[in-house]
Amino acid sequence: MSGPTLNGRLAALRERVVGVVESRATDDPTAGDPLRGLYVTPETALRAASRPLDGAGTAWAADATAGGADAVPAADAERDVHAYADVSADVPPHPGAGTDRLSTLARAFGLGALDAHILLTALAPDVDRAFEPLFGYLNDDVGRRRATVGIALGLAGTGPHEAAARDRFHPAAPLCAGGLLVVEDEDRPLPGRALRVPERVVAHLLGDDGRLDAGLRDAGVELLPPTADEPATASEALDALAARVRAAAPVTVHLRERIPGVAADAVATALCAAGRPVLRLRTGSGEDGAAVAPVLLREARLRGAAVVVEPLPREAGPLVRALAAPDVTVVLAGTDAPGPRWAPRVEILALEAPGDDVGSAELWRRELGPGEPAFDLAEAVAPYRLGGGQIRRAARSARALAAFEGTELTAAHVQRGARLMSAPLLDSHARRVRPAVGFADLVLPEEPLRELHELTARARYRDRVLGAWRLRTGGGRGRGVVALFAGESGTGKTLGAEVIAGELGLDLYVVDLSSVVDKYVGETEKNLERIFAEVDRTDCVLLFDEADAVFGKRSEVRSSHDRYANLESAYLLQRLEAFDGIAVLTTNLRANIDEAFTRRLDLVVEFPFPDPEQRISLWEACLAGAPQAPDLADAIADCAKAFELAGGAIRSAAVTAGYLAAARGGPVTGDDVRTGARREYQKAGRLLPDAGVPWAP
């Protein structure tokens, strides 16, 4: 049989307070004064001075005999002080209490009977306005309508003179440390300080758990409700790890992830499937996370929820110390090892999260729904390293996009949904390029084209070859794919990198060297580390254009400048060994690249200068979408033979021809093409073909 409701408890408390007020009013000479509380008369001062030292305690306990079953006889006051001060959650806060919300909250927060009584007294005005004038009278101040420390303890038959009773208001005591009680008016002596219960706690005790605390919503905390679905991730090892965390007693776990969010997502999914809500905090700032931690723990205890925090910042000590609790399951996920100086109140279980076989096509197929897609799903999703929850959200986004466009689900929809889940934060050091070209746009000989196809295969199947087939060597080497594109300016190196990104369904990020290279010692390495670390965690293609600026040869140390330049190269050599992403380096001068870098490259692709036949193909590809005059084909053939231009220069010449035709209001003619070719020769400072050519000046 359940115990009294919160309203029943408040009704009993109100009777008790009324009894105290009536008892005091019988011998209070100012009880009938309409201005009572606005000033203190001499009679009131003398009466207050004549009270015993513990008048806020024993005397009130005697007054409270009119309050019914909740009253504390004065003779038993000393015994009940210690009974109330007992922190045991087994002591009910009300005679005959059952499993109501107040009793459940008392057990969850480790409250004793006195704590529960203080909490009930403090929240009374927030639920029943009848308490306001009563507390105003007891405070001798009509403007102070909340219970104070003295009132709360007096109604319990004790007072601030008892050390055990005072201790219940210490910041480290359960009420204040748990965020259940706020002691206001710090400039007043303790007995006169007002008590307030946060609105979220009041709502919970009244049965309202529909909304998160406003502070948590502002901090970006997400509430994951319990589900009846079986947890599904892209990895059996992740499933096993999540099941162990789910089955454990309240525990604080640190998951060191290779790919951010994958293991944390698996554990959160498993906890929800076990019927437990999860509060997930995504934070990039240790200070912000530490500030919201007390409210987060309070919400977890109120809901019986677990807490998942990711990614942990580098300076995570304050956040971890604030969150570590022996009675709440807390999962801390990040790519760095746990700090030795965190020193939390509870033991942290450090686990290495598996991540070798994430992104399985089978999970994608299950999340995309019934029916076999009309494209090779395994090949479309192979470049992405996503966890179960990320795949679930990406699949939902892909289906929604296809429905919005009114078309069948395609590989482009799936890849766009996956990109949304792995968008890197590189905008401060790199420029994003959304690939809009493919292999059909490249004009190259057979050998470099074959090598580019091999490069896409390495990026697509590296998890299978290096992970499942265990062809990766030791030494802490990563599973990244790094290639060098070498060739003269304009031969298609940057375009080739864009084609690789487009074939893989990834974004291309071009490193802005001006924001990376720094004149101060060590700053260049720090900027490069930020870039590499971000690319390690996300799915994109990184392009170092003109890479010899940072990957140049080491030289003999003849000055401090040489020494620091060599340190920069040594750092890059070590970082490439542990790199997990996809990177392309381009250079016009391969000889300037240090030989030690070439050993760490997966492929070196030479982009040759185009021959006349290839130049014709380049001209035709550039002008394919423009209106063409009848003489254009012959002019293109003549220009391809007479003007030795690389692909980039041909594109610029074609753009010039297009502008000339647009200004004239007609199609692109042979003269337009010849003018564009001459402009490119003049820009390069080269001599024009001899005067024997009909169109030469």
Side-chain angles (χ1 to χ4, degrees):
M1 183 176 178
S2 64
T5 64
L6 182 63
N7 288 335
R9 293 178 185 276
L10 291 173
L13 178 65
R14 184 169 57 198
E15 291 178 9
R16 185 171 183 176
V17 175
V18 168
V20 172
V21 171
E22 290 176 347
S23 176
R24 172 181 285 193
T26 58
D27 60 348
D28 185 356
T30 64
D33 188 346
L35 299 180
R36 184 185 185 280
L38 299 181
Y39 67 96
V40 179
T41 65
E43 294 83 0
T44 303
L46 291 173
R47 182 172 178 273
S50 65
R51 290 180 184 173
L53 182 62
D54 58 349
T58 307
W60 281 28
D63 293 342
T65 55
D70 280 344
V72 181
D76 297 332
E78 184 177 355
R79 172 176 57 80
D80 285 338
V81 167
H82 300 290
Y84 269 118
D86 184 4
V87 193
S88 171
D90 295 331
V91 181
H94 185 282
T99 55
D100 63 307
R101 285 211 165 203
L102 184 57
S103 299
T104 304
L105 180 143
R107 285 191 294 271
F109 285 81
L111 304 183
L114 180 57
D115 295 319
H117 164 80
I118 293 170
L119 183 64
L120 184 69
T121 306
L123 68 82
D126 293 292
V127 179
D128 187 351
R129 289 195 61 189
F131 282 94
E132 294 186 51
L134 298 174
F135 286 154
Y137 180 87
L138 294 178
N139 280 322
D140 288 331
D141 187 341
V142 295
R144 304 191 69 212
R145 299 192 166 206
R146 285 194 174 275
T148 59
V149 171
I151 290 176
L153 294 180
L155 291 171
T158 180
H161 59 285
E162 287 279 354
R166 272 182 98 90
D167 184 63
R168 311 325 299 157
F169 302 95
H170 191 278
L175 280 172
C176 296
L180 301 176
L181 185 71
V182 179
V183 182
E184 300 179 330
D185 306 323
E186 292 186 358
D187 57 328
R188 291 178 178 268
L190 182 65
R193 295 182 186 176
L195 303 178
R196 180 175 58 83
V197 178
E199 177 58 30
R200 176 66 188 95
V201 179
V202 177
H204 171 77
L205 289 172
L206 293 174
D208 180 11
D209 284 325
R211 299 180 185 275
L212 283 177
D213 186 277
L216 296 181
R217 293 198 304 271
D218 294 342
V221 175
E222 179 185 7
L223 173 62
L224 307 178
T227 64
D229 300 334
E230 280 298 317
T233 70
S235 164
E236 292 183 2
L238 276 178
D239 284 337
L241 182 145
R244 290 197 299 272
V245 175
R246 177 180 62 180
V251 62
T252 300
V253 177
H254 178 273
L255 294 177
R256 188 176 185 184
E257 301 176 304
R258 184 173 67 86
I259 304 171
V262 172
D265 193 85
V267 172
T269 302
L271 290 169
C272 290
R276 297 186 61 182
V278 172
L279 295 167
R280 188 161 187 173
L281 170 64
R282 291 181 171 88
T283 178
S285 168
E287 293 76 16
D288 294 342
V292 79
V295 183
L296 187 60
L297 283 179
R298 183 185 70 192
E299 190 72 24
R301 292 187 178 107
L302 292 177
R303 295 178 180 271
V307 175
V308 176
V309 181
E310 59 90 16
L312 281 180
R314 290 190 177 275
E315 298 297 328
L319 174 59
V320 175
R321 285 190 290 272
L323 276 177
D327 59 328
V328 178
T329 294
V330 179
V331 178
L332 309 166
T335 56
D336 297 324
R341 298 183 180 179
W342 286 354
R345 301 184 301 275
V346 298
E347 185 69 25
I348 293 181
L349 182 61
L351 301 175
E352 194 79 20
D356 287 344
D357 52 350
V358 296
S360 75
E362 185 57 36
L363 181 57
W364 276 97
R365 189 171 285 107
R366 188 160 60 240
E367 294 299 333
L368 287 173
E372 191 67 22
F375 55 91
D376 189 338
L377 180 61
E379 183 172 322
V381 301
Y384 300 97
R385 301 166 293 169
L386 304 178
Q390 292 172 310
I391 291 176
R392 189 172 298 110
R393 293 191 293 274
R396 190 186 311 129
S397 175
R399 292 196 306 268
L401 182 61
F404 176 76
E405 295 179 352
T407 63
E408 293 292 327
L409 187 70
T410 65
H413 294 137
V414 172
Q415 290 175 341
R416 182 173 178 182
R419 282 201 302 269
L420 293 175
M421 295 299 108
S422 61
L425 304 175
L426 288 170
D427 292 332
S428 60
H429 293 295
R431 172 174 53 88
R432 186 177 68 171
V433 176
R434 282 290 175 87
V437 293
F439 277 105
D441 300 288
L442 277 178
V443 178
L444 288 173
E446 183 177 346
E447 179 62 20
L449 274 177
R450 184 186 61 78
E451 291 175 336
L452 291 179
H453 281 288
E454 180 184 340
L455 182 60
T456 59
R458 282 176 175 265
R460 184 173 282 127
Y461 302 116
R462 54 186 167 143
D463 281 338
R464 181 189 303 176
V465 174
L466 301 179
W469 294 358
R470 303 178 65 84
L471 291 180
R472 180 174 54 175
T473 57
R477 290 180 174 83
R479 57 179 65 187
V481 177
V482 184
L484 175 66
F485 292 175
E488 295 184 33
S489 178
T491 52
K493 302 183 294 298
T494 302
L495 181 65
E498 186 177 348
V499 168
I500 296 296
E503 286 295 311
L504 295 172
L506 304 175
D507 287 335
L508 176 69
Y509 277 82
V510 183
V511 175
D512 183 3
L513 293 180
S514 65
S515 67
V516 172
V517 178
D518 198 295
K519 66 179 180 179
Y520 294 105
V521 175
E523 290 302 313
T524 299
E525 289 88 333
K526 290 180 182 179
N527 293 334
L528 287 169
E529 175 58 30
R530 294 188 191 100
I531 293 173
F532 280 120
E534 190 61 40
V535 175
D536 276 342
R537 293 193 289 260
T538 53
D539 299 314
C540 67
V541 176
L542 186 66
L543 173 62
F544 285 93
D545 210 359
E546 309 297 342
D548 43 305
V550 288
F551 293 86
K553 282 187 175 181
R554 290 166 291 181
S555 61
E556 181 181 350
V557 178
R558 296 180 178 177
S559 69
S560 60
H561 297 288
D562 296 333
R563 177 170 175 265
Y564 290 124
N566 288 347
L567 283 175
E568 192 175 295
S569 296
Y571 157 77
L572 285 168
L573 288 170
Q574 294 176 350
R575 193 61 182 82
L576 283 181
E577 288 279 1
F579 184 56
D580 275 336
I582 305 171
V584 174
L585 320 178
T586 69
T587 180
N588 299 341
L589 299 170
R590 179 180 172 183
N592 287 352
I593 300 293
D594 196 301
E595 292 181 1
F597 285 114
T598 60
R599 185 183 65 81
R600 290 164 171 81
L601 299 173
D602 294 290
L603 281 173
V604 177
V605 182
E606 294 284 353
F607 283 71
F609 195 88
D611 59 26
E613 292 299 323
Q614 291 168 350
R615 291 200 290 270
I616 291 176
S617 299
L618 287 168
W619 277 106
E620 292 174 346
C622 291
L623 293 169
Q628 301 178 6
D631 65 336
L632 186 62
D634 293 337
I636 286 177
D638 293 337
C639 286
K641 294 176 183 177
F643 293 92
E644 295 181 354
L645 297 174
I650 290 176
R651 177 175 179 79
S652 296
V655 170
T656 299
Y659 277 120
L660 292 173
R664 191 177 57 254
V668 178
T669 64
D671 288 339
D672 296 331
V673 168
R674 296 174 186 121
T675 301
R678 286 201 303 272
R679 296 274 173 81
E680 291 305 309
Y681 254 45
Q682 291 169 344
K683 282 164 52 179
R686 301 175 62 181
L687 293 175
L688 293 170
D690 57 39
V693 179
W695 58 82

Coordinates of all heavy atoms in Angstrom, one line a residue, residues 618-670:
L618 N 41.3 17.9 -73.9 CA 41.1 18.9 -72.9 C 40.3 20.1 -73.4 O 39.4 20.6 -72.7 CB 42.5 19.4 -72.3 CG 43.2 18.4 -71.5 CD1 44.6 18.8 -71.2 CD2 42.5 18.2 -70.1
W619 N 40.7 20.6 -74.6 CA 39.9 21.7 -75.2 C 38.4 21.3 -75.4 O 37.5 22.1 -75.1 CB 40.5 22.1 -76.6 CG 41.7 23.0 -76.5 CD1 43.0 22.7 -76.8 CD2 41.6 24.4 -76.3 NE1 43.8 23.8 -76.7 CE2 43.0 24.9 -76.4 CE3 40.6 25.3 -76.0 CZ2 43.3 26.2 -76.2 CZ3 40.9 26.7 -75.8 CH2 42.3 27.1 -75.9
E620 N 38.2 20.1 -75.9 CA 36.8 19.7 -76.2 C 36.0 19.5 -74.9 O 34.9 19.9 -74.8 CB 36.8 18.4 -76.9 CG 37.3 18.5 -78.4 CD 37.5 17.2 -79.1 OE1 37.4 16.1 -78.3 OE2 37.6 17.1 -80.3
A621 N 36.7 19.0 -73.8 CA 36.0 18.9 -72.5 C 35.7 20.2 -71.9 O 34.6 20.4 -71.3 CB 36.9 18.0 -71.6
C622 N 36.6 21.2 -72.0 CA 36.3 22.5 -71.4 C 35.2 23.2 -72.2 O 34.4 24.0 -71.5 CB 37.6 23.3 -71.5 SG 38.9 22.8 -70.4
L623 N 35.1 23.0 -73.5 CA 34.1 23.8 -74.2 C 32.8 23.0 -74.5 O 32.0 23.4 -75.3 CB 34.7 24.3 -75.6 CG 35.8 25.3 -75.4 CD1 36.5 25.5 -76.8 CD2 35.2 26.6 -75.0
A624 N 32.7 21.8 -73.9 CA 31.6 20.9 -74.2 C 30.2 21.5 -74.0 O 29.2 21.3 -74.7 CB 31.7 19.6 -73.4
G625 N 30.1 22.4 -73.0 CA 28.8 23.0 -72.6 C 28.5 24.3 -73.3 O 27.4 24.9 -73.1
A626 N 29.4 24.8 -74.1 CA 29.2 26.1 -74.7 C 28.7 26.0 -76.2 O 29.0 25.0 -76.8 CB 30.6 26.9 -74.8
P627 N 28.0 27.0 -76.6 CA 27.5 26.9 -78.1 C 28.8 27.1 -79.0 O 29.6 27.9 -78.7 CB 26.6 28.1 -78.2 CG 27.0 29.0 -77.1 CD 27.4 28.2 -75.9
Q628 N 28.8 26.3 -80.0 CA 30.0 26.2 -80.8 C 29.8 26.6 -82.3 O 28.8 26.2 -82.9 CB 30.6 24.8 -80.8 CG 31.0 24.4 -79.3 CD 31.5 23.0 -79.3 OE1 31.7 22.3 -80.3 NE2 31.8 22.5 -78.1
A629 N 30.7 27.4 -82.9 CA 30.6 27.7 -84.3 C 31.1 26.6 -85.1 O 31.9 25.7 -84.6 CB 31.4 29.0 -84.5
P630 N 30.8 26.5 -86.4 CA 31.3 25.4 -87.2 C 32.8 25.2 -87.4 O 33.3 24.1 -87.6 CB 30.6 25.7 -88.6 CG 29.4 26.5 -88.3 CD 29.9 27.4 -87.1
D631 N 33.5 26.3 -87.3 CA 34.9 26.3 -87.4 C 35.7 25.9 -86.2 O 36.9 25.9 -86.1 CB 35.5 27.6 -88.0 CG 35.3 28.7 -87.0 OD1 34.4 28.6 -86.1 OD2 36.1 29.7 -87.1
L632 N 35.0 25.6 -85.1 CA 35.6 25.5 -83.8 C 36.5 24.2 -83.7 O 37.6 24.3 -83.2 CB 34.6 25.4 -82.7 CG 35.1 25.4 -81.2 CD1 35.9 26.7 -80.9 CD2 34.0 25.2 -80.2
A633 N 36.1 23.1 -84.3 CA 36.8 21.9 -84.2 C 38.2 22.0 -84.9 O 39.2 21.6 -84.3 CB 36.0 20.7 -84.9
D634 N 38.2 22.7 -86.1 CA 39.5 22.8 -86.7 C 40.4 23.8 -85.9 O 41.7 23.5 -85.8 CB 39.3 23.4 -88.1 CG 38.6 22.4 -89.1 OD1 38.7 21.2 -88.8 OD2 38.0 22.9 -90.0
A635 N 39.8 24.8 -85.3 CA 40.7 25.8 -84.5 C 41.2 25.1 -83.3 O 42.4 25.3 -82.9 CB 39.8 27.0 -84.1
I636 N 40.4 24.2 -82.7 CA 40.9 23.4 -81.5 C 42.1 22.6 -81.9 O 43.1 22.5 -81.2 CB 39.8 22.6 -80.9 CG1 38.8 23.5 -80.2 CG2 40.3 21.6 -79.9 CD1 37.6 22.8 -79.6
A637 N 42.0 21.9 -83.0 CA 43.1 21.0 -83.5 C 44.4 21.8 -83.8 O 45.5 21.4 -83.4 CB 42.7 20.2 -84.7
D638 N 44.2 23.0 -84.4 CA 45.4 23.8 -84.7 C 46.0 24.4 -83.4 O 47.2 24.4 -83.2 CB 44.9 25.0 -85.6 CG 44.5 24.5 -87.0 OD1 45.0 23.4 -87.4 OD2 43.8 25.3 -87.6
C639 N 45.2 24.8 -82.4 CA 45.7 25.3 -81.2 C 46.4 24.3 -80.4 O 47.4 24.5 -79.7 CB 44.5 25.9 -80.3 SG 43.9 27.5 -81.0
A640 N 45.8 23.0 -80.4 CA 46.5 22.0 -79.6 C 47.9 21.7 -80.2 O 48.8 21.3 -79.4 CB 45.6 20.7 -79.7
K641 N 48.1 21.8 -81.5 CA 49.4 21.6 -82.0 C 50.3 22.8 -81.8 O 51.5 22.6 -81.5 CB 49.3 21.3 -83.5 CG 48.5 20.0 -83.8 CD 48.3 19.8 -85.3 CE 47.5 18.6 -85.7 NZ 47.3 18.4 -87.1
A642 N 49.8 24.0 -82.0 CA 50.7 25.1 -82.0 C 51.0 25.6 -80.5 O 52.1 26.2 -80.3 CB 50.0 26.3 -82.8
F643 N 50.0 25.5 -79.6 CA 50.2 26.1 -78.3 C 50.4 24.9 -77.3 O 49.5 24.1 -77.1 CB 49.0 26.9 -77.9 CG 48.9 28.2 -78.7 CD1 48.1 28.2 -79.9 CD2 49.5 29.3 -78.3 CE1 48.0 29.4 -80.6 CE2 49.4 30.5 -79.0 CZ 48.6 30.5 -80.2
E644 N 51.5 24.8 -76.7 CA 51.8 23.8 -75.7 C 51.3 24.3 -74.3 O 52.0 24.9 -73.5 CB 53.3 23.5 -75.6 CG 53.8 22.9 -76.9 CD 55.3 22.6 -76.8 OE1 55.9 22.9 -75.8 OE2 55.8 22.0 -77.8
L645 N 50.1 24.0 -74.1 CA 49.4 24.5 -72.8 C 49.0 23.3 -72.0 O 48.6 22.2 -72.5 CB 48.2 25.3 -73.1 CG 48.4 26.6 -73.9 CD1 47.0 27.2 -74.3 CD2 49.2 27.6 -73.1
A646 N 49.2 23.4 -70.7 CA 48.7 22.3 -69.7 C 47.2 22.5 -69.6 O 46.6 23.4 -70.0 CB 49.4 22.5 -68.4
G647 N 46.6 21.5 -68.8 CA 45.2 21.5 -68.7 C 44.6 22.8 -68.0 O 43.6 23.3 -68.4
G648 N 45.3 23.3 -67.0 CA 44.8 24.5 -66.3 C 44.8 25.7 -67.2 O 43.9 26.5 -67.2
A649 N 45.9 25.8 -68.0 CA 46.0 26.9 -69.0 C 44.9 26.8 -70.0 O 44.3 27.8 -70.5 CB 47.4 27.0 -69.6
I650 N 44.7 25.6 -70.5 CA 43.6 25.4 -71.5 C 42.3 25.8 -71.0 O 41.5 26.4 -71.7 CB 43.6 23.9 -72.0 CG1 44.9 23.6 -72.8 CG2 42.4 23.6 -72.8 CD1 45.1 22.2 -73.3
R651 N 42.0 25.4 -69.7 CA 40.7 25.8 -69.1 C 40.6 27.3 -69.0 O 39.6 27.9 -69.4 CB 40.6 25.2 -67.7 CG 39.3 25.6 -67.0 CD 39.2 24.9 -65.7 NE 38.0 25.3 -65.0 CZ 36.7 24.9 -65.3 NH1 36.6 24.0 -66.3 NH2 35.7 25.3 -64.7
S652 N 41.7 28.0 -68.7 CA 41.6 29.5 -68.6 C 41.4 30.1 -70.0 O 40.7 31.0 -70.1 CB 43.0 30.0 -68.0 OG 43.1 29.6 -66.7
A653 N 42.1 29.5 -71.0 CA 41.9 30.0 -72.4 C 40.4 29.7 -72.8 O 39.9 30.6 -73.5 CB 42.9 29.3 -73.3
A654 N 39.9 28.6 -72.5 CA 38.5 28.3 -72.8 C 37.5 29.3 -72.2 O 36.5 29.7 -72.8 CB 38.1 26.9 -72.5
V655 N 37.8 29.6 -70.9 CA 37.0 30.6 -70.2 C 37.0 32.0 -70.9 O 36.0 32.7 -71.1 CB 37.4 30.7 -68.7 CG1 36.7 31.9 -68.1 CG2 37.1 29.4 -68.0
T656 N 38.3 32.4 -71.3 CA 38.4 33.6 -72.0 C 37.6 33.6 -73.3 O 36.9 34.6 -73.7 CB 39.9 33.9 -72.4 OG1 40.6 34.0 -71.1 CG2 40.1 35.2 -73.2
A657 N 37.7 32.5 -74.1 CA 36.9 32.4 -75.3 C 35.4 32.5 -75.0 O 34.7 33.1 -75.8 CB 37.2 31.0 -76.0
G658 N 35.0 31.9 -73.9 CA 33.5 31.9 -73.6 C 33.1 33.4 -73.3 O 32.0 33.8 -73.7
Y659 N 33.9 34.1 -72.6 CA 33.5 35.5 -72.3 C 33.5 36.3 -73.6 O 32.6 37.2 -73.7 CB 34.5 36.1 -71.3 CG 34.2 35.8 -69.9 CD1 35.2 35.1 -69.1 CD2 33.0 36.2 -69.3 CE1 34.9 34.9 -67.7 CE2 32.8 36.0 -68.0 CZ 33.7 35.3 -67.2 OH 33.4 35.0 -65.9
L660 N 34.4 36.1 -74.5 CA 34.4 36.8 -75.7 C 33.1 36.6 -76.5 O 32.5 37.5 -77.1 CB 35.6 36.5 -76.6 CG 37.0 37.0 -76.0 CD1 38.1 36.4 -76.8 CD2 37.0 38.5 -76.0
A661 N 32.7 35.3 -76.5 CA 31.5 34.9 -77.3 C 30.3 35.5 -76.6 O 29.3 35.9 -77.3 CB 31.4 33.4 -77.4
A662 N 30.2 35.4 -75.3 CA 29.1 35.9 -74.6 C 28.9 37.4 -74.8 O 27.8 38.0 -74.9 CB 29.2 35.6 -73.1
A663 N 30.0 38.2 -74.8 CA 29.9 39.6 -75.0 C 29.5 39.9 -76.4 O 28.8 41.0 -76.6 CB 31.3 40.2 -74.7
R664 N 29.8 39.1 -77.3 CA 29.4 39.3 -78.7 C 28.0 38.8 -79.0 O 27.3 39.2 -79.9 CB 30.4 38.6 -79.6 CG 30.2 38.9 -81.1 CD 31.3 38.2 -82.0 NE 31.2 36.8 -81.8 CZ 32.1 36.0 -81.2 NH1 33.1 36.6 -80.6 NH2 31.9 34.7 -81.1
G665 N 27.5 37.9 -78.1 CA 26.1 37.4 -78.3 C 26.0 36.3 -79.2 O 25.0 36.1 -79.8
G666 N 27.1 35.6 -79.5 CA 27.1 34.4 -80.4 C 27.8 33.2 -79.9 O 28.2 33.2 -78.7
P667 N 28.0 32.2 -80.7 CA 28.7 31.0 -80.2 C 30.2 31.2 -80.2 O 30.7 32.2 -80.7 CB 28.3 30.0 -81.3 CG 28.1 30.8 -82.5 CD 27.5 32.1 -82.1
V668 N 30.9 30.3 -79.6 CA 32.4 30.3 -79.5 C 32.9 30.0 -80.8 O 32.6 28.9 -81.4 CB 32.9 29.3 -78.4 CG1 34.4 29.4 -78.4 CG2 32.3 29.7 -77.0
T669 N 33.8 30.8 -81.3 CA 34.3 30.6 -82.7 C 35.8 30.3 -82.6 O 36.4 30.3 -81.5 CB 34.2 31.9 -83.5 OG1 35.0 32.9 -82.9 CG2 32.8 32.4 -83.6
G670 N 36.4 29.9 -83.7 CA 37.8 29.6 -83.7 C 38.7 30.8 -83.3 O 39.7 30.7 -82.6

